[in-house]
Amino acid sequence: MNFPVLKAFGATFAYLASRWLELTKALWFPALLLVGLQIYTMAPFMSAASSIISLGENPDPAEAEAHLGALGKWGLVIIAGSAVAYPMMTVASLLHLVRGEELKAPIYLRYGGDELRVLAAYILLSVMIILISIVGGLAATVIAVIISLVLPQARALLNSLAEIVVNLVTIWFRLRLSVLYPASIATGTIGFGASWAITKGHALKLFLFWVLIGLSIAPLGVLLSAPFAGDFFPLFQRVSEAGQDQAAVRQAIVPLIDAIARLYSPQSPGFALFAAALFAGTMATTAVFNVASGISWRYLQEQGKPAAGAAQAMAA
């Protein structure tokens, strides 16, 4: 039986509709931690990045070292804080769907084996994707160079095709591991083996499912970003107009980065609205994408059962 794209899509939003209060209880605290971390770190992090770009091609070594130190410091704070918040949010939104566990308290405050395994799975997945990009890119480049020795006029086309192939392989790999986190929670392992096995033969259907999920959540992203988007259109236009001129690109990117940094500053006039939108967006996207992953896992497990029974089990 093939993965039922439309039924899984419908079951995702049926679950969200029936469990929105429980998901809110489970997610609000780790989401608040994550948003607080972003507000605390993003303004100095982006300012350090802007300062580095502003130094140009031949910066003063001492000044560059100071800005790089600030960038590294705030980057490490972001990574460390995210390593706490993201696994908590993932496990909190999947425990009931995957294992049937109910949240007793009005707050989710736990960091144990499930969260550590999810963190390990995330780190390993990220490393593997990076390796695929690097190794695949190198292999594709070598092949393109060899062929271009015979057909030099096809070099640009071959490079484009090579990039497309690497991207397709990366997408396929991610689809095979798209139920990694529910697999980890369900099996008490990192989840790679279980996810890889259960998604075999379903990559295309899973791709269509995730396209539908992405399209369904996109209007919310547009709505939440609309109050701030107007200031960024001219900045993005300047970056686009810079073309291949590296000096012009640097001059255009710096105001864009500074504008992003100002959004995270409590002194910004629109800070309260931005913080509220950031929190709402974090809650909503986390709930939707994690529930979609959990529903995918359940439907892949329930392939041999009647669809109606599977859907009832998921809503329970």
Side-chain angles (χ1 to χ4, degrees):
M1 176 180 174
N2 288 325
F3 178 76
V5 176
L6 294 179
K7 289 181 179 179
F9 178 75
T12 297
F13 286 93
Y15 184 91
L16 288 166
S18 65
R19 301 280 304 180
W20 68 269
L21 182 58
E22 289 80 2
L23 286 166
T24 301
K25 287 169 55 180
L27 286 173
W28 77 265
F29 182 68
L32 188 64
L33 287 178
L34 182 61
V35 170
L37 171 72
Q38 292 173 330
I39 291 171
Y40 177 67
T41 59
M42 287 302 290
F45 179 79
M46 299 301 286
S47 294
S50 173
S51 298
I52 291 172
I53 295 173
S54 298
L55 292 176
E57 295 181 355
N58 300 299
D60 176 72
E63 193 175 1
E65 183 179 356
H67 292 313
L68 283 171
L71 186 70
K73 167 192 167 183
W74 291 112
L76 287 174
V77 173
I78 292 170
I79 292 171
S82 299
V84 174
Y86 274 117
M88 286 178 65
M89 294 170 67
T90 300
V91 176
S93 54
L94 284 172
L95 271 180
H96 174 264
L97 184 54
V98 174
R99 290 209 304 246
E101 295 183 16
E102 293 283 358
L103 182 66
K104 301 288 192 297
I107 182 174
Y108 185 89
L109 183 58
R110 192 188 83 176
Y111 203 92
D114 288 324
E115 288 78 11
L116 288 172
R117 283 187 289 269
V118 165
L119 175 60
Y122 173 77
I123 292 173
L124 186 55
L125 176 62
S126 300
V127 170
M128 294 178 74
I129 289 174
I130 291 171
L131 289 176
I132 288 173
S133 299
I134 294 174
V135 175
L138 288 173
T141 300
V142 169
I143 294 171
V145 168
I146 293 173
I147 296 176
S148 65
L149 293 175
V150 181
L151 299 170
Q153 67 275 15
R155 179 66 181 269
L157 176 61
L158 290 171
N159 287 336
S160 298
L161 289 176
E163 185 175 346
I164 291 172
V165 169
V166 172
N167 288 334
L168 289 175
V169 171
T170 304
I171 291 171
W172 172 80
F173 182 77
R174 296 194 67 131
L175 289 169
R176 293 296 305 272
L177 295 173
S178 59
V179 295
L180 178 62
Y181 302 137
S184 174
I185 294 170
T187 62
T189 66
I190 294 181
F192 273 80
S195 178
W196 193 263
I198 205 169
T199 56
K200 183 179 180 180
H202 300 289
L204 180 58
K205 292 295 184 70
L206 285 168
F207 174 75
L208 296 175
F209 170 74
W210 285 108
V211 167
L212 288 177
I213 293 295
L215 291 174
S216 68
I217 200 70
L220 177 63
V222 172
L223 178 65
L224 292 176
S225 62
F228 322 100
D231 295 335
F232 285 89
F233 286 137
L235 299 175
F236 280 115
Q237 185 176 358
R238 284 185 60 190
V239 174
S240 176
E241 291 172 350
Q244 302 298 318
D245 186 337
Q246 295 302 312
V249 169
R250 282 197 301 271
Q251 291 177 356
I253 286 180
V254 168
L256 176 60
I257 295 176
D258 290 342
I260 296 172
R262 284 194 297 272
L263 283 177
Y264 288 91
S265 173
Q267 285 75 42
S268 172
F271 172 75
L273 179 59
F274 174 74
L278 183 61
F279 179 74
T282 301
M283 289 275 290
T285 54
T286 299
V288 171
F289 287 116
N290 283 335
V291 167
S293 179
I295 290 290
S296 301
W297 168 259
R298 290 290 299 271
Y299 262 110
L300 289 168
Q301 282 192 314
E302 298 282 347
Q303 285 182 77
K305 297 181 181 180
Q312 290 172 2
M314 292 173 193

